[in-house]
Amino acid sequence: MTTTLDETLTLLLVEDDAGDAFLVEELLMQAEAPPRITWVRSLEETKAQLGPQIQCVLVDLSLPDATGLEALEHVLDLAPHAAVLVLTGLRDVHVGVAAVQAGAQDYLVKQDVDARLLARAIRYAMERKRADLAQRRLVEAELTAKENARLENGLLPVPLLRTRELRHATRYLPGSQGQRLAGDFLDTVQTPDGSVHVIVGDVCGHGPDEAALGVALRIAWRTLVLAGQTGDLLLRTLDTLLRAERRAPEIFTTLCMATIAPDLASARMRVAGHPPPVLVRDGVVEVVEGAPSGPPLGIFPDAQWAVLDVPLGERWSMMLYTDGLIEAAVGGELLGVEGLVELVRLHGAIDIDRLIGEVGTLKDDLAAVIVSRGET
């Protein structure tokens, strides 16, 4: 009667006794799909043979250069993704139990091993290892999700907005790359003089490092605005922070910030290498002329940004956004700024949810702030 293993496995047998090694190999050769076996006699030889191709390790705990749990610990460290089966003698059953407690998937008493028991033990050990790895990935995913949520809370602040004359909306959506976290950030703050300050920014790249940098820049911007710092001095301060906090010198940040006057009838903008804001004024859809007004942060240490003075009037809507919106494909082509303006004209207003519905899947992340006054 042949013994069945579900797949052709690659095994490492760590056994210094030639007779015991021969017995294990003979038993495994009775399987319907005999595994590929590499036999080593010591822990030193084990180090040279262990690699990602090894799916299961059968290890004797009485080796010439390591004994007991010391040998097992070395094997577990060297092969974290392999199932480990411990071979022990009748007098060392308690050692086998301790080995399982230390991280081995199972143990076998050499005197009790037959072909069927050995094949079943290997199969079960493989399944236990898969379950252990899956559980570990689940725990890691839960920890990552908690960290992501903490960072996302930093990227998506509660606006400090007192006036009821403005309608305010934000959107933050991940792109199709699957990364929940990116460097896009946004914020809105109204200062005691009644001015409304808005920012949307984009740290190049994706991942927790970029997200953390985006959080740092957003919090710094809010702090500086509340402290009364504005204009080029504010941007140069953010540029200094970016250079100090970024993990690589090629990391840069684009952003658009607007200060809406206390009477809500005009705005002053600086656009640092960022897509131009879209405006709807008295039914006319356009982009802010002169944008960008200067380079991104983190490129030129002596950069300057021109001031863009924008009259708004009594009825208007303004959208600041990251390039995830204009880099989306519509009809097989990138939307672009002109395409975005045409869509807003077609809709008759800045309706961010409808815009997102029109462009479909976003290739890159999107952060957007829409501020409106009156009916537009």
Side-chain angles (χ1 to χ4, degrees), residues 2 21 23 77 171 181 193 268 288 345 363 367:
T2 59
L23 174 62
D77 289 340
R171 294 293 183 275
L181 288 174
D193 66 351
R268 305 200 85 186
V288 173
R345 285 175 182 158
K363 292 183 179 179

Side-chain angles (χ1 to χ4, degrees), residues 350-364:
I350 300 177
D351 185 335
I352 186 61
D353 292 325
R354 191 173 178 187
L355 286 172
I356 294 170
E358 292 273 4
V359 301
T361 302
L362 298 171
K363 292 183 179 179
D364 200 0

Side-chain angles (χ1 to χ4, degrees), residues 14-33:
V14 188
E15 173 62 74
D16 66 326
D17 187 290
D20 288 345
F22 177 77
L23 174 62
V24 170
E25 289 179 328
E26 285 293 304
L27 294 176
L28 289 175
M29 287 304 102
Q30 297 178 40
E32 186 174 298

Side-chain angles (χ1 to χ4, degrees), residues 213-234:
L213 183 54
V215 172
L217 290 172
R218 189 210 49 88
I219 293 174
W221 177 86
R222 174 176 280 207
T223 303
L224 292 168
V225 168
L226 291 173
Q229 195 172 119
T230 59
D232 275 16
L233 178 58
L234 188 155

